[in-house]
Amino acid sequence: MITLLADGADHHAAMRALERGWELVTPLPFGRALNAAINAGAATVADAEAILAGKVPPDKDTAARVAAIEALAHKARLFELAEQDEAVAGLLLAALGSEGPHSPEHERLRVATSRRASMAGQLLVEQADILIAVWDGQSVDSVGGTGHTVAAALSLGVPVVWIHPQRPEAWQIYHTAEEMAAAGAGTKPPQEQLALQVRNALVLDPPRTAGRFAGIAAIGAESWRDHSRSASHVYRRVEALFGARKWSERLASLRQRYERPEEIGTGSGKALLDAVAALPGQDQELAGSIEREILRRFAWSDGISSSLADRYRSGMVLNFILGAAAIIVGTLYLPLTDTAHKWVFAGLELALLLAIVANTARGQKRRFHGRWFESRRAAEYLRHSPFLVTLGVARAVGRWPLGVSSWWPEWYVRHTLSGIGLPQIRVGTDYLRGVLELLRDHHVDPQRSYHRFKSGRLEHVHHQLDRLSEYSFAAAVFFVGLYLVLAALGALGVIDGYLIEKSAKWFTVIAVALPTVGGAIAAIRYFADFERFAEISEATANELDQVAHRIEALLAAPAERLDFAQVAQIVHDTDDIVFSEIENWQAVFSGKRTTIPA
């Protein structure tokens, strides 16, 4: 149960959750003491100062309310937005010491507290599968109020169960603001719809594609490999041969070792985990949760995805190579033997064609293409998730993309992150600075360097393959033209016609082989789409450059100017860049399934 612990319905919900043995999670708009002072309704400066100092306030009624708030807070996992506590506490004391509730001091306090409540409400909405709102339905304009939170939830695709306090038996469930505006408070509770909504939140439906490798079985234990295999290196060898600048790099071993989940905490993920553990005032369990729940799952899905990518892309490249080889072999009998022995070459050609059929059938049966897409989505979502978790932000349920045939990666990762939820942290300016540095050092900088290098390498591959394909066609034109010149000279008696007759079949083979090779190279380039991938990586690097600039600007700002909302926006924008890159990447390869080259 996630609740803001505001007075009234929030307290009742919290107590019912605790009675059921549920974990109580609370994003507080302020630090714990300031939250108690504001929500207990401290009426005097003396009461407020006592609460802020952790003492019992003089007023008995106020003290009772503080005790009730603290009793629940003590049992909850608190995420305290405390980086502006000093400023807001000053506004509270100034308002209590002013003349009347309509003073400028009270107005400034109202604006500040509303904004903080709105930020906490946003965290609640992002973490929620379903929002339950006890609300009179009157206004959504009061920033930080229930109506404002309801509007935010509906705008982010979070379903809302609306309970009108005067007609609680007629609760309704809505998915859009338009739906709520049109229907208002209904009379017949939609029990079946609520049951379906709960089921959708908790249960992953079977995939439309049946079979051993459908759905989450794409990253099942039977798919794991400790390292890549030479037979699956065809695609990466093409990239190395035409993308590397040195021959030592072009011919270097391409074997990859996939990091096992139990190794990542002391391997590639150690620096990140150490940085998380070093964040000031953070939950001591956070680094361990990230290692167990996120990094291990990332290592698993990343290793499987890398293997599937090799097998799928290498399978298609191999098909193009085998197709070209079949055509060339089928014509080689012309200069090498007579028609009586053509069957030998026809047999080799048939073997190559059957190899293409078998390779294609294997790729389709084992769903290399679909499983690569799915496991790569899961891996990339998990790769950057630690930075969301450390700040308590999340992608709201309605903003996750839904795949046409399978959306288990989104369900899987969302539930992985929900399992961690909001860490128990008091967020101060030092913590926000630490999160910004964490995001910069362990995601933004490494990823923009990777994408810039990848963009340059793939652009080079693209140009080199284009050049080789053009040379093949140019050579074909040259040899065909040369044969015609020689034939003309033979007809004129300038050269011996016997030589022309003997070489004619070789010219035929060359005239067939060169365009075939050029076509296969062009097909590989088209299939791999190196140019578009280079553009995607360059665009991603440019977007990350902007994020890096924004991070540096915030880190240079005075500590008192650092605000949770600003840092959360940067983390969200980085999250959007990840999703945008995945969508662009999928758009390139979505239609390029394992097929017979034609």
Side-chain angles (χ1 to χ4, degrees):
M1 169 70 77
I2 306 173
T3 178
L4 301 183
L5 282 189
D7 194 18
D10 280 18
H11 280 209
H12 287 293
M15 289 186 287
R16 300 292 83 77
L18 291 171
E19 287 173 2
R20 287 165 171 77
W22 294 5
E23 183 179 23
L24 187 61
V25 180
T26 300
L28 292 179
F30 321 96
R32 185 167 173 172
L34 180 58
N35 179 75
I38 291 175
N39 281 307
T44 66
V45 172
D47 284 341
E49 287 179 338
I51 299 169
L52 292 174
K55 300 176 181 179
V56 178
D59 182 75
K60 292 183 179 180
D61 291 338
T62 302
R65 291 192 294 270
V66 170
I69 292 171
E70 283 298 301
L72 286 174
H74 182 71
K75 298 175 182 178
R77 176 148 51 99
L78 302 180
F79 186 83
E80 306 172 53
L81 300 176
E83 86 283 1
Q84 294 292 322
D85 271 14
E86 185 177 349
V88 177
L91 293 175
L92 173 64
L93 296 175
L96 293 176
S98 66
E99 298 177 357
H102 302 294
S103 65
E105 291 82 3
H106 270 92
E107 179 61 21
R108 285 194 288 271
L109 176 64
R110 186 191 66 79
V111 171
T113 54
S114 294
R115 181 172 177 273
R116 305 300 299 180
S118 175
M119 289 162 52
Q122 182 72 19
L123 291 176
L124 181 147
V125 167
E126 290 173 0
Q127 296 284 342
D129 291 302
I130 301 171
L131 181 72
I132 302 174
V134 180
W135 176 47
D136 61 10
Q138 293 302 308
S139 174
V140 298
D141 297 328
S142 178
V143 176
T146 303
H148 187 265
T149 305
V150 167
L154 293 173
S155 70
L156 293 173
V158 179
V160 174
V161 176
W162 177 20
I163 302 173
H164 196 291
Q166 295 179 347
R167 298 185 298 277
E169 71 286 346
W171 59 267
Q172 296 291 303
I173 182 168
Y174 296 108
H175 300 84
T176 66
E178 293 77 12
E179 189 178 83
M180 176 177 280
T187 57
K188 185 178 180 181
Q191 297 281 359
E192 292 183 1
Q193 191 182 67
L194 180 59
L196 177 62
Q197 201 66 54
V198 173
R199 184 183 183 281
N200 289 340
L202 300 178
V203 179
L204 178 63
D205 288 327
R208 297 180 187 177
T209 306
R212 178 186 175 193
F213 298 106
I216 206 166
I219 55 171
E222 71 276 10
S223 301
W224 178 260
R225 296 167 180 259
D226 283 324
H227 54 78
S228 62
R229 299 182 181 179
S230 299
S232 301
H233 292 170
V234 181
Y235 170 85
R236 287 195 289 119
R237 181 58 69 189
V238 169
E239 185 179 318
L241 285 173
F242 295 96
R245 307 286 179 169
K246 300 177 181 178
W247 276 105
S248 59
E249 296 174 356
R250 294 174 182 174
L251 301 177
S253 172
L254 297 177
R255 179 165 170 157
Q256 291 180 309
R257 183 184 179 277
Y258 305 131
E259 190 172 34
R260 297 189 69 85
E262 61 270 21
E263 299 170 346
I264 192 168
T266 55
S268 64
K270 186 178 187 304
L272 170 64
L273 294 174
D274 288 346
V276 171
L279 288 172
Q282 55 90 31
D283 185 349
Q284 295 302 310
E285 297 295 324
L286 182 57
S289 297
I290 289 174
E291 190 273 334
R292 290 188 305 273
E293 305 298 331
I294 296 178
L295 294 189
R296 293 192 180 199
R297 286 182 167 91
F298 164 72
W300 191 266
S301 54
D302 184 59
I304 290 173
S305 180
S306 297
S307 175
L308 290 170
D310 276 352
R311 285 184 277 173
Y312 158 66
R313 294 186 293 191
S314 293
M316 278 303 298
V317 171
L318 185 61
N319 273 359
F320 291 124
I321 294 173
L322 291 175
I327 294 172
I328 295 170
V329 167
T331 60
L332 270 177
Y333 82 95
L334 290 171
L336 295 178
T337 186
D338 53 36
T339 54
H341 296 91
K342 178 183 176 180
W343 66 270
V344 176
F345 296 89
L348 292 173
E349 181 180 4
L350 178 61
L352 291 170
L353 294 175
L354 290 177
I356 294 173
V357 173
N359 184 49
T360 302
R362 179 173 178 268
Q364 292 177 348
K365 181 179 180 180
R366 296 178 69 86
R367 291 191 64 240
F368 289 152
H369 176 271
R371 290 164 65 205
W372 172 44
F373 263 44
E374 295 161 10
S375 56
R376 180 45 55 194
R377 294 207 312 266
E380 293 306 315
Y381 296 152
L382 289 167
R383 185 196 299 277
H384 79 109
S385 293
F387 312 100
L388 279 73
V389 170
T390 55
L391 200 63
V393 301
R395 178 168 284 262
V397 62
R399 295 193 63 226
W400 286 86
L402 293 179
V404 175
S405 59
S406 176
W407 59 286
W408 71 259
E410 289 74 23
W411 186 94
Y412 177 77
V413 174
R414 172 167 167 72
H415 278 264
T416 294
L417 302 185
S418 295
I420 298 177
L422 290 170
Q424 183 156 320
I425 290 173
R426 177 182 169 86
V427 177
T429 55
D430 287 347
Y431 186 83
L432 292 178
R433 291 181 66 86
V435 170
L436 286 172
E437 291 170 350
L438 183 78
L439 179 64
R440 177 196 63 192
D441 296 343
H442 296 276
H443 183 80
V444 174
D445 284 353
Q447 283 293 300
R448 63 175 175 160
S449 297
Y450 163 77
H451 281 291
R452 194 136 280 139
F453 167 78
K454 181 180 176 183
S455 176
R457 182 182 177 97
L458 295 184
E459 186 69 21
H460 188 63
V461 173
H462 158 69
H463 286 302
Q464 292 293 93
L465 287 176
D466 267 356
R467 186 174 303 168
L468 183 58
S469 180
E470 292 166 1
Y471 286 166
S472 297
F473 281 98
V477 171
F478 170 77
F479 279 104
V480 171
L482 177 62
Y483 171 75
L484 292 174
V485 170
L486 293 176
L489 293 175
L492 295 173
V494 177
I495 61 175
D496 190 347
Y498 177 77
L499 294 175
I500 302 301
E501 182 181 352
K502 284 294 184 179
S503 63
K505 293 181 179 180
W506 278 112
F507 273 108
T508 300
V509 172
I510 292 173
V512 170
L514 286 172
T516 299
V517 170
I521 293 169
I524 291 171
R525 192 197 72 75
Y526 169 75
F527 160 76
D529 231 331
F530 297 107
E531 182 180 20
R532 289 179 66 186
F533 274 111
E535 291 173 352
I536 291 171
S537 281
E538 183 63 25
T540 301
N542 290 337
E543 291 174 337
L544 290 172
D545 283 342
Q546 296 177 15
V547 170
H549 177 74
R550 292 165 61 191
I551 290 175
E552 294 302 330
L554 279 183
L555 290 175
E560 65 272 11
R561 300 290 296 276
L562 207 55
D563 183 79
F564 177 86
Q566 294 173 315
V567 179
Q569 188 60 54
I570 287 180
V571 174
H572 274 305
D573 290 346
T574 306
D575 180 53
D576 287 339
I577 291 172
V578 172
F579 275 71
S580 176
E581 187 214 344
I582 293 173
E583 289 171 356
N584 290 332
W585 160 72
Q586 289 191 135
V588 174
F589 259 116
S590 60
K592 298 180 179 181
R593 303 181 183 276
T594 306
T595 57
I596 300 291

